[in-house]
Amino acid sequence: MSGERFNVGDLPLARLKESETDMNEMAKTDKVLSRKEGGVGYVVFNNPERHNAMSLDMWAATGRIMDEFKNDDALRCVVLTGAGTKAFVSGADISKFGAERSTEEAVAHYNKTVEEASLALHAYPKPTIAMIRGYCIGGGLGIAMCCDLRIATEQSTFAVPAAKLGLGYGHVGVKRLLDVVGPSFTKEIFYTARQFNADEAKTMGLINRVVPDAELEGYVKKYAETIAGNAPLTIKALKHVVGELVKDESKRDVKGMEAVVGACFKSRDYTEGRTAFMEKRKPVFTGT
């Protein structure tokens, strides 16, 4: 999540159309990979030679993949992780700044792409898990904050180095961190700009679970499959309700919350869940 501020509406229409075309082309990069295993989708940041630092094309590809996953009813959970053993995502790819953020228009295009990809992840209606090994720094932590759950290895490290770089951090990114760890830890993370280890991150509530490095993939796979096996309408409703409850009370959509909860009780899955319980078998949920 970038700190530069620019109004995309100030760009000429022709430039915006050109940017959209560019983004579609960039979304074809092999620096972000995806795959599907049963009801679980995987997104892999594939730039290990640069500790999975994010470039513009990687942000564009991430947004595209999340949009594709959203439209796949067979997927019930998504796991995001980094390639290799050194990093989840180590931040922005500074080596690309000359080409990607050298002008005001380029900065606007970059910020728009990052914001759209972050929103696609944060607003994704199904559960998301950040599977973290190694560095989770700056924009990497921003990506993790867009996920519902964060599971990390004992060797993982976390930081937002904005104060060491003199850059401003956008309020949307700060709010996402604030919602997870609270105001005091948010200030500590930004004020010190230092790296926190996994135990400190767990204490803050920054991550949900800490597991040994060798167990990470197996643990997260089982965790994601457990979620994918539960009633999707119930989980969708819960995610929607939590999203509303973190808003100011005056901005909450109470009727919307009641509607998604009511949909669960009207569903075939509700009947299936009760029947399976009585028959002492595992339920088979269809999301209907």
Side-chain angles (χ1 to χ4, degrees), residues 122-143:
H122 188 260
Y124 188 72
K126 304 169 189 178
T128 52
I129 302 173
M131 182 169 72
I132 301 167
R133 175 185 280 114
Y135 296 115
C136 183
I137 307 294
L141 187 57
I143 292 171

Side-chain angles (χ1 to χ4, degrees), residues 147-196:
C147 296
D148 297 316
L149 305 172
R150 289 154 292 280
I151 300 173
T153 68
E154 297 165 333
Q155 290 75 39
S156 298
T157 56
F158 307 82
V160 181
K164 290 185 177 179
L165 300 171
L167 58 86
Y169 210 86
H171 69 278
V172 175
V174 174
K175 180 63 165 58
R176 287 173 183 156
L177 181 60
L178 181 70
D179 286 342
V180 173
V181 304
S184 183
F185 282 132
T186 296
K187 291 174 183 177
E188 181 180 3
I189 289 169
F190 276 95
Y191 286 176
T192 65
R194 72 178 180 87
Q195 291 188 12
F196 296 86

Side-chain angles (χ1 to χ4, degrees), residues 32 42-43 51 70 91 107 109 124 144-145 169 235 258 260 269:
V32 182
Y42 289 84
V43 179
H51 290 170
K70 182 174 65 174
V107 167
H109 178 48
Y124 188 72
M145 289 301 100
Y169 210 86
I235 292 174
E258 293 173 346
V260 294
D269 280 352

